[in-house]
Amino acid sequence: MTLREMHWSDIETLAALDVELFADDAWAPATWWSELAERPRRRYVIEEQDGRIAAYGGVDVAGETADVMTIAVAPDAQGRGAGRAMLDALVRLATDGGAEALLLEVRADNESARKLYDRNGFETLTIRRRYYQPGDVDAVIMRRHLVREDQP
Ligand SMILES: CC(C)(COP(=O)(O)OP(=O)(O)OC[C@H]1O[C@@H](n2cnc3c(N)ncnc32)[C@H](O)[C@@H]1OP(=O)(O)O)[C@@H](O)C(=O)NCCC(=O)NCCS
């Protein structure tokens, strides 16, 4: 797999994958455009395999805290470590940007994502009750402390 920066020419494919992977919470092409064009603090990357998008994700890095904006693995690439690799890439981007902690928000009913975060150093900070509508699904806010290599 190859890690590369996201580019505007990826947007059509990403918007289609988002509908498959996030249904009602998918980002429309206009959202992707604005994320790439108007948000300089955000870094979006893609894991490519055989010329196809296997995984994608992004972080917002602002001072001591960074936020995961999105993370996803294409349906036919899931369950083989691509999610973990993308999470590692986002952790590196956040750390290199100077952040000391990485925050994310996950639906309480998203078992595969929660397992990924639980096993990779994230702890639950707080729960926002009935945050996702429709469906009354809680949002779980998680945090991982980051360690910079130049720190003693
Ligand atoms: C969540 C997601 C990114 C995981 O990606 P993935 O490539 O399938 O995950 P990996 O193969 O790297 O597995 C990472 C861990 O998650 C767990 N996992 C992955 N798929 C799982 C599943 N379907 N059910 C339960 N656990 C699962 C594995 O146990 C693995 O842990 P381990 O390595 O300790 O065994 C992927 O399922 C996805 O894109 N889902 C749709 C979009 C989404 O929900 N994104 C997260 C939004 S917060």
Side-chain angles (χ1 to χ4, degrees):
M1 286 220 266
T2 327
L3 188 73
R4 66 167 173 83
E5 292 281 336
M6 198 178 278
H7 189 252
W8 60 265
S9 59
D10 298 311
I11 287 176
E12 200 181 322
T13 311
L14 291 168
L17 280 170
D18 244 36
V19 170
E20 258 186 277
L21 294 164
F22 292 103
D24 289 345
D25 300 322
W27 287 0
T31 304
W32 281 109
W33 274 106
S34 115
E35 288 295 308
L36 292 188
E38 295 163 15
R39 314 272 183 169
R41 285 198 330 224
R42 301 207 175 145
R43 297 283 309 278
Y44 286 93
V45 289
I46 281 175
E47 290 273 12
E48 219 170 41
Q49 190 163 36
D50 303 326
R52 297 180 63 194
I53 294 176
Y56 55 99
V59 282
D60 180 287
V61 187
E64 292 172 7
T65 307
D67 292 278
V68 173
M69 301 306 301
T70 189
I71 176 168
V73 175
D76 57 358
Q78 287 183 10
R80 284 182 270 143
R84 175 177 292 223
M86 179 49 65
L87 190 58
D88 286 346
L90 299 184
V91 164
R92 277 197 306 277
L93 284 172
T95 309
D96 292 349
E100 290 170 12
L102 182 58
L103 287 166
L104 59 80
E105 180 188 290
V106 56
R107 288 174 63 106
D109 61 359
N110 190 342
E111 276 181 39
S112 49
R114 290 187 68 179
K115 208 176 269 183
L116 173 65
Y117 307 140
D118 279 341
R119 292 186 184 180
N120 287 280
F122 284 83
E123 57 189 10
T124 299
L125 257 190
T126 184
I127 301 202
R128 292 195 184 133
R129 300 286 169 205
R130 300 193 296 275
Y131 181 79
Y132 293 100
Q133 298 294 338
D136 279 350
V137 178
D138 294 345
V140 183
I141 315 297
M142 305 187 82
R143 176 179 62 192
R144 171 171 158 172
H145 290 291
L146 305 174
V147 182
R148 292 216 304 272
E149 278 175 10
D150 58 356
Q151 279 176 341

